[in-house]
Each structure stands twice: as C-alpha cells, then as structure tokens.
C-alpha cells in the first residue's frame, strides 16, 4: 500500500492533512477570497435596488463591468484550486488511502457548487445544504492516519491568542499577530483571529525558551484568563460607560436648555438641526416641508447609482432632517424620525417623479408578532427606478 505522509502545505495534492491544519488552510483561503473580492462585492451591493435583488445574483453579476467579472472568475479559480488540493489530502486521511473515485466525486461536487449563486432559490438551498454537510464532514471526521498521532499540546486552541491577538503576540514574541491591524479593518479579521488561536501555542512555544512544558501551559492559562476578562468584561464596560456618559451629558444639556427657555427651541437643537439639514443638502437638490408631506428632491442619476442600503440611509436622514426643521418651526411640539417617515417622499428634481416613500402594510396590527413587524418595517421602504435620467 502507498505510504501517505503528512503534508500541511497550503497547496498540494499528495499526502494527508489533519483537521486542524485543514481548517487553518481553509481560513487562509477565506481571507484571500474576502480581500481580493472586495471590489466585486462593492459593485454588487451598489447595484442592489431592492431587497429582492439580493436573491438575483445572476442579474447583479451580469451588470458588473467586464474587468470585475474576469477578476472574480480568476480569483474563484485560484481559490478553488487551492481548496480542492486540501480536500483531496483530507479525504486521503479520512480513508487511510488514496481513493481516486471518492476524491473525484466530492471534488466535482464542490466545483459544480461554485455556480450555486446563479441557481434558483430552491436549488440554492439544496446545494447549500449539501455543501454544508460535506464541509462539516471534512472538518469533523477523524482521520485514520492523523488520528493515531500522539497528543501534542502545542496544537490545542489558545484562547489568549484569539482574544488578545496582537497584544498577546507582543508578550509571546509572535509578531505574526500584528497582521490583525490590517486584516481587522476587513471582514477577514475574525478568520485571522481564529488562526491566531489555532496557531498560538505553536508560535509561543517556538519563539520563547521555556523551563518546562508545565511552565508554558501555566503561563498560557494565566494569559487566557487575563485576555478573556479584558475582552469580554472590561472593554465592553469601558465602551458602554463612555457611550452612556456622552448620552447622559447630551441629554442633561438639552433638558437644561429646554427648562430654562421652554418657549424657545433649544440653541443646541438648532445647531444640531442646522448640521443635519446642511449635511442633508449634500444629497438632495432642495426640500419642501409642508403640512402633510416632506418633499425632498434629488437628481435621478444620483438616485439610480445608489444601493438599497444607501437609499434607505438617505431616506432616514431626510425624515430626521424634516423632524428637526419642524421642531424649529413649531417650538414646544415633539417630532422625530418615526413621526416623519410616513409623510416623507423623495422626488426626481427633473420631472417630480416619485422615487421613494415609506408605506406600512395596513394588514399589520397590534397583534402582529415580531417577525411580521420586522418584515413590515423593511418592506415599508418603497424605492422606484427613475424613468428619466
């Protein structure tokens, strides 16, 4: 029988790979794909007009620039090649031998699944479930060969490295963790934090001299407690305290000014209103705050170029600006974004065409459950494509 040797390289079709090293390589693939496809994902998000577009990947993809399409296919091909090379080594470990037939079938399933996003929603769900089951099997199934390897404490997960990342790295001379400064600014930050946890003991054990294995374990246990307490308890308390302190300070200032001059609009509120309204003018050409309607006018080209999320933010900002302007006009009366959403409308500045409104489903009543209310809140935003640009 062919002897299969351990091969933990990032790319390679020969040999075997254990669960831990397989998972680490998959995380690196995820980091590479996440970072390199940021321009593609940005293009897709900016092309979304409604929530339904999120399920029409084929339509969004067809509207992307050609260069982005080519780049996406190239990245997909490279990542898929690396991924399949790891899958084959994992299967070799699980089977205890090279099973060409099984390797080919499972690899073919993963390759075919690259087009999963272009399928109809039911097929998308079926293939997603198959992929999830196969991925879970490869990650959790104990290998016949690596399963017989002796226990190695340096291969265990280090929670101190996961929570502490770069701070833990400085203490343990593991400067690879400093990559978190860059990766932490992207969606790949969590993946790299998990890698730090998986590789932490290995890095720390090699990079410093330890009197004994027991001393090393004791040191890492203490660091784990410190960083877990710091990350989960102390830092959230500090952040929450700062936010609450700012909120209470702001509230006390507003309350004091309202009490001292109840017949007048608070100067602070006026300043805030001026800032919001001024910022609002960056997006809208003009506005008319009437008795029963808040009209905001925007260039149709600007509106068409925004994603659903950007349109929603602009609409919310318009409602907030309308509320602040009404408070300036009618001192003593209370207005908010919630009160102004239903009467806020966005029109084309060229032909007065309605482009956006907020209309709640009339069938929703006080007895509606949370799911129905959330659905109604998102579907209440009605955005339309301009007919004239």
């Amino acid at each position: 029988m062919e002897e299969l040797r351990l091969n933990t390289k990032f790319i390679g079709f020969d040999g075997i790979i254990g669960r831990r090293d397989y998972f680490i390589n998959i995380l690196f693939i995820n980091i590479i794909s996440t970072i390199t496809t940021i321009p593609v994902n940005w293009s897709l998000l900016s092309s979304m007009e409604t929530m339904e577009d999120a399920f029409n990947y084929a339509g969004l993809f067809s509207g992307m620039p050609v260069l982005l399409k080519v780049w996406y296919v190239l990245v997909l091909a490279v990542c898929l090649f690396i991924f399949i090379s790891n899958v084959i080594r994992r299967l070799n470990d699980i089977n205890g031998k090279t099973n060409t037939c099984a390797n080919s079938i499972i690899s073919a399933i993963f390759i075919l699944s690259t087009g999963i996003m272009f399928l109809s929603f039911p097929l998308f769900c079926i293939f997603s479930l198959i992929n999830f089951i196969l991925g879970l099997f490869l990650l959790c199934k104990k290998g016949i060969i690596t399963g017989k390897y002796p226990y190695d404490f340096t291969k265990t997960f280090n929670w101190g490295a996961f929570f502490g990342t770069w701070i833990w790295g400085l203490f343990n001379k593991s400067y690879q963790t400093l990559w978190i400064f860059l990766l932490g600014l992207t969606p790949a930050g969590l993946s790299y934090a998990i890698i730090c946890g998986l590789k932490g003991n290995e890095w720390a054990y090699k990079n410093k001299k330890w009197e004994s294995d027991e001393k090393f374990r004791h040191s890492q246990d203490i660091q784990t407690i410190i960083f877990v307490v710091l990350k989960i308890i102390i830092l959230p308390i500090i952040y929450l305290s700062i936010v609450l302190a700012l909120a209470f300070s702001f509230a006390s200032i507003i309350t004091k000014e309202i009490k001292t001059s109840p017949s007048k609009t608070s100067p602070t509120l006026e300043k805030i209103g001026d800032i919001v309204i001024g910022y609002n003018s960056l997006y809208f050409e003009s506005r008319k705050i009437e008795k029963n309607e808040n009209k905001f006018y925007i260039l149709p080209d600007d509106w068409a170029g925004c994603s659903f999320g950007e349109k929603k933010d602009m609409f919310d900002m318009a409602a907030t600006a309308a509320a602040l302007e009404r408070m300036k006009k009618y001192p003593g009366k209370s207005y908010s974004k919630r009160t102004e959403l239903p009467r806020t409308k966005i029109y084309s500045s060229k032909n007065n065409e309605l482009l956006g409104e907020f209309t709640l489903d009339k069938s929703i009543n006080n007895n509606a459950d949370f799911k129905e209310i959330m659905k109604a809140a998102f579907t209440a935003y009605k955005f339309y494509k301009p007919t004239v640009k």
Side-chain angles (χ1 to χ4, degrees):
M1 181 184 292
E2 175 190 1
E3 183 183 356
L4 294 174
R5 296 184 178 180
L6 186 66
N7 181 5
T8 61
K9 292 180 180 179
F10 190 48
I11 306 174
F13 290 86
D14 299 325
I16 59 172
I17 188 169
R19 291 176 293 182
R20 170 182 171 272
D21 294 309
Y22 168 78
F23 187 40
I24 290 172
N25 286 351
I26 296 303
L27 289 171
F28 274 119
I29 294 172
N30 178 63
I31 290 173
I32 293 170
S33 64
T34 299
I35 294 175
T36 53
T37 56
I38 285 177
V40 176
N41 292 327
W42 180 263
S43 175
L44 293 175
L45 289 173
S46 61
S47 300
M48 286 177 57
E49 295 286 343
T50 63
M51 291 297 292
E52 286 78 9
D53 288 340
F55 301 98
N56 184 20
Y57 188 83
L60 294 175
F61 185 80
S62 63
M64 278 199 311
V66 176
L67 286 178
L68 278 181
K69 291 180 182 178
V70 173
W71 175 252
Y72 177 75
V73 172
L74 180 63
V75 170
L76 184 65
V78 172
C79 290
L80 186 61
F81 176 80
I82 300 170
F83 174 68
I84 294 300
S85 74
N86 281 272
V87 168
I88 290 175
R89 279 178 287 160
R90 187 83 267 272
L91 289 170
N92 289 343
D93 183 35
I94 292 172
N95 294 320
K97 60 181 180 179
T98 301
N99 188 329
T100 305
C101 181
N103 292 352
S104 300
I105 292 173
I106 293 181
S107 297
I109 292 174
F110 280 119
I111 292 171
L112 291 173
S113 296
T114 55
I116 191 173
M117 292 171 290
F118 298 97
L119 301 175
S120 61
F121 188 70
L123 289 175
F124 173 85
C125 294
I126 293 171
F127 271 86
S128 296
L129 181 61
I130 293 172
N131 273 358
F132 176 76
I133 293 172
L134 284 177
L136 201 62
F137 170 77
L138 292 172
L139 188 62
C140 299
K141 179 66 175 177
K142 192 175 183 179
I144 291 178
I145 300 176
T146 58
K148 296 178 181 178
Y149 286 2
Y151 172 77
D152 186 352
F153 68 89
T154 65
K155 306 294 184 183
T156 56
F157 196 85
N158 189 313
W159 289 101
F162 172 73
F163 285 110
T165 56
W166 67 273
I167 304 176
W168 175 93
L170 294 178
F171 276 107
N172 293 275
K173 298 183 179 179
S174 302
Y175 304 118
Q176 306 96 315
T177 56
L178 295 176
W179 280 105
I180 198 67
F181 280 115
L182 295 177
L183 296 175
L185 302 175
T186 72
L190 178 60
S191 295
Y192 193 70
I194 296 173
I195 290 173
C196 290
L198 290 166
K199 299 281 287 183
N201 282 330
E202 187 179 341
W203 290 339
Y205 193 75
K206 290 179 180 178
N207 293 336
K208 289 180 72 176
K209 292 182 179 180
W210 302 92
E211 296 180 10
S212 65
D213 294 348
E214 191 59 38
K215 288 273 188 181
F216 171 79
R217 291 195 190 98
H218 182 66
S219 172
Q220 294 305 314
D221 288 343
I222 292 175
Q223 291 182 51
T224 295
I225 294 172
I226 292 172
F227 286 113
V228 167
V229 171
L230 180 67
K231 196 71 174 279
I232 295 181
I233 300 176
I234 297 178
L235 287 180
I237 290 175
I238 293 174
Y239 295 149
L240 182 62
S241 299
I242 293 173
V243 171
L244 290 176
L246 292 173
F248 281 122
S249 298
F250 178 78
S252 63
I253 292 172
I254 299 299
T255 303
K256 183 178 179 181
E257 291 187 355
I258 291 175
K259 286 181 178 180
T260 54
S261 53
S263 61
K264 298 181 180 179
T265 304
S266 164
T268 303
L269 281 177
E270 286 188 4
K271 292 176 183 178
I272 294 172
D274 291 340
I275 292 171
V276 173
I277 293 168
Y279 187 69
N280 198 268
S281 64
L282 296 175
Y283 295 96
F284 300 104
E285 297 292 296
S286 60
R287 65 185 181 277
K288 292 180 182 178
I289 308 301
E290 300 177 348
K291 183 178 180 181
N292 297 317
E293 187 175 355
N294 308 316
K295 298 179 179 180
F296 289 80
Y297 297 88
I298 190 172
L299 288 171
D301 283 341
D302 293 344
W303 181 259
C306 295
S307 66
F308 178 85
E310 290 170 333
K311 290 175 181 176
K312 180 181 177 299
D313 291 339
M314 287 166 52
F315 196 93
D316 290 342
M317 184 174 61
T320 302
L324 291 169
E325 194 158 332
R326 285 184 184 277
M327 290 175 72
K328 290 174 68 177
K329 285 184 177 180
Y330 309 105
K333 292 187 177 182
S334 177
Y335 298 95
S336 66
K337 185 184 79 172
R338 180 180 59 81
T339 64
E340 299 310 304
L341 277 174
R343 51 187 172 196
T344 298
K345 302 285 179 66
I346 296 179
Y347 295 94
S348 168
S349 59
K350 287 191 175 181
N351 61 350
N352 292 330
E353 179 183 14
L354 180 63
L355 299 179
E357 60 181 335
F358 184 90
T359 308
L360 280 172
D361 187 352
K362 294 181 179 179
S363 64
I364 300 297
N365 52 46
N366 294 332
N367 297 323
D369 59 24
F370 179 76
K371 184 178 179 180
E372 290 175 330
I373 293 172
M374 288 299 295
K375 183 179 179 181
F378 278 101
T379 56
Y381 291 91
K382 311 291 184 183
F383 301 142
Y384 313 109
K385 293 183 179 180
T387 57
V388 177
K389 295 186 178 180

